[in-house]
Amino acid sequence: MSRERLAAFLRTGVIILLWLSCASFSHAAGYLDQQQFDRYSDLAKLEVIVERMYSTPERREQIEASAGHLLGALVAADPNADPALLQTPMALAGHTVDLATEYFDVFVPRQRPAAGYGLLVFISPQRAFRAPRQWRTLLNDRGIILVAARSAGNGQPVVFRRIPLALHARENIVHRFPIDPARTYIGGWSGGSRVALSVAVAYPDLFRGGLFIAGSDPVGNADSMLVNPLPQDEALLARLKSDSRLVMLTGDNDLPPFQEDTRNLQSLTEAGINATLIRMRNAGHVMPDRSSLARALHALDETP
């Protein structure tokens, strides 16, 4: 065999091996536990999150102080760290998680829909989230991939971990699977639901809607940390109003979350955002059953 033919043969072999390695992940079905990702979303950098979610001076001062404390701890722990980090934390912090040490759980349906998979990036209040069996059968039937980061539950820093991990999860799943942009959602339960709604409002260019189970905070332009500010960018705000579908799903015995969701529905409607509140009858602070989840996913998949 000539040198040229040998080189061509080796190149072909490398291409086939790379294709097989990608195909083995892309075509796997069922639960893929403790997956590791390597793609960073530029929109998950700290300065971008702050720009989108902490636009008023008061809110910026609060998150600047938090960033200063975080970076101060990092500098104190690393004798080689650059003290200049403490001078301009927003500009220099960049990514706040190391994907080499993070794990994600992924559920993949057996059949790929013609337009591509739907995607639900899920934020849990717990350290790890594994969708119940009745959820999995429904996700499988509707062709929706679910991905959830580990170690991103309540008690973890929202801005420095929970939000960027969700954004990185979306980035990697979209890169590895054919995803339908019109069915790309962010969701969560309880404390994770509140974080997910913040992401949905701030990133309508990434998520076309969201599923918020048992907890949410209102939208508006108040300085309170308990209010989700509307996008300052006019194009993002227009997209939020025209494209997004936000679905709250809460038990009517789950007080005060159900009362909060009722008020929040009004704030979303007044802001011109397509929102729905689905009531789980005679239910408390619980994960939805198949029937309730089916109603919520149907509402999400409807064209606004």
Side-chain angles (χ1 to χ4, degrees), residues 204-208 234-244:
D205 48 339
L206 298 186
F207 300 100
R208 292 295 180 88
E234 292 185 3
L236 288 176
L237 180 59
R239 175 171 267 185
L240 177 64
K241 292 181 177 182
S242 64
D243 295 349
S244 292

Side-chain angles (χ1 to χ4, degrees), residues 55-56 59 219-224 227-232:
S55 53
T56 66
R59 292 170 69 95
V219 301
N221 291 314
D223 293 334
S224 170
V227 175
N228 295 301
L230 295 170
Q232 298 296 301

Side-chain angles (χ1 to χ4, degrees), residues 115-120 142-144 170 174 178-186 204-210 239 242-246 297-304:
Y117 294 102
L119 172 61
L120 176 60
R142 300 191 74 94
I144 298 175
R170 178 204 171 275
V174 167
I179 299 297
D180 182 357
R183 301 178 68 220
T184 302
Y185 309 127
I186 181 82
D205 48 339
L206 298 186
F207 300 100
R208 292 295 180 88
R239 175 171 267 185
S242 64
D243 295 349
S244 292
R245 303 180 294 283
L246 307 183
L297 292 179
H298 177 74
L300 267 182
D301 282 341
E302 286 184 332
T303 302

Side-chain angles (χ1 to χ4, degrees), residues 8-64:
F9 176 79
L10 292 174
R11 283 196 301 271
T12 301
V14 169
I15 291 172
I16 291 173
L17 287 173
L18 289 173
W19 180 85
L20 286 173
S21 65
C22 294
S24 63
F25 187 99
S26 298
H27 293 91
Y31 247 109
L32 307 175
D33 293 325
Q34 299 191 65
Q35 298 296 304
Q36 285 198 282
F37 296 149
D38 58 7
R39 290 179 64 88
Y40 288 83
S41 170
D42 287 339
L43 296 180
K45 289 182 177 179
L46 181 58
E47 56 266 32
V48 180
I49 295 173
V50 170
E51 182 67 29
R52 291 203 179 196
M53 304 181 70
Y54 298 88
S55 53
T56 66
E58 293 81 3
R59 292 170 69 95
R60 271 184 175 274
E61 287 177 7
Q62 290 174 316
I63 202 62
E64 280 271 7

Side-chain angles (χ1 to χ4, degrees), residues 110-271:
R110 288 191 299 270
Q111 297 294 326
R112 166 191 160 186
Y117 294 102
L119 172 61
L120 176 60
V121 178
F122 199 80
I123 303 176
S124 173
Q126 302 163 334
R127 194 190 72 81
F129 176 75
R130 188 176 180 88
R133 183 177 298 276
Q134 55 186 341
W135 276 43
R136 283 176 261 163
T137 59
L138 185 58
L139 292 169
N140 187 73
D141 293 344
R142 300 191 74 94
I144 298 175
I145 293 174
L146 185 145
V147 58
R150 293 204 172 194
S151 300
N154 293 349
Q156 292 293 325
V158 172
V159 174
F160 304 116
R161 282 193 58 77
R162 303 182 84 184
I163 292 174
L165 285 172
L167 297 176
H168 293 319
R170 178 204 171 275
E171 173 74 15
N172 283 270
I173 295 297
V174 167
H175 177 69
R176 299 189 183 196
F177 292 91
I179 299 297
D180 182 357
R183 301 178 68 220
T184 302
Y185 309 127
I186 181 82
W189 174 45
S190 190
S193 172
R194 297 176 188 275
V195 178
L197 179 55
S198 298
V199 176
V201 173
Y203 289 89
D205 48 339
L206 298 186
F207 300 100
R208 292 295 180 88
L211 172 60
F212 315 111
I213 305 167
S216 66
D217 295 312
V219 301
N221 291 314
D223 293 334
S224 170
M225 295 291 281
L226 298 179
V227 175
N228 295 301
L230 295 170
Q232 298 296 301
D233 182 276
E234 292 185 3
L236 288 176
L237 180 59
R239 175 171 267 185
L240 177 64
K241 292 181 177 182
S242 64
D243 295 349
S244 292
R245 303 180 294 283
L246 307 183
V247 177
M248 294 173 285
L249 178 62
T250 304
D252 54 10
N253 289 337
D254 187 13
L255 302 176
F258 184 76
Q259 295 171 335
E260 293 171 348
D261 285 347
T262 302
R263 291 193 296 268
N264 294 348
L265 177 63
Q266 181 178 353
S267 79
L268 289 163
T269 302
E270 290 175 351

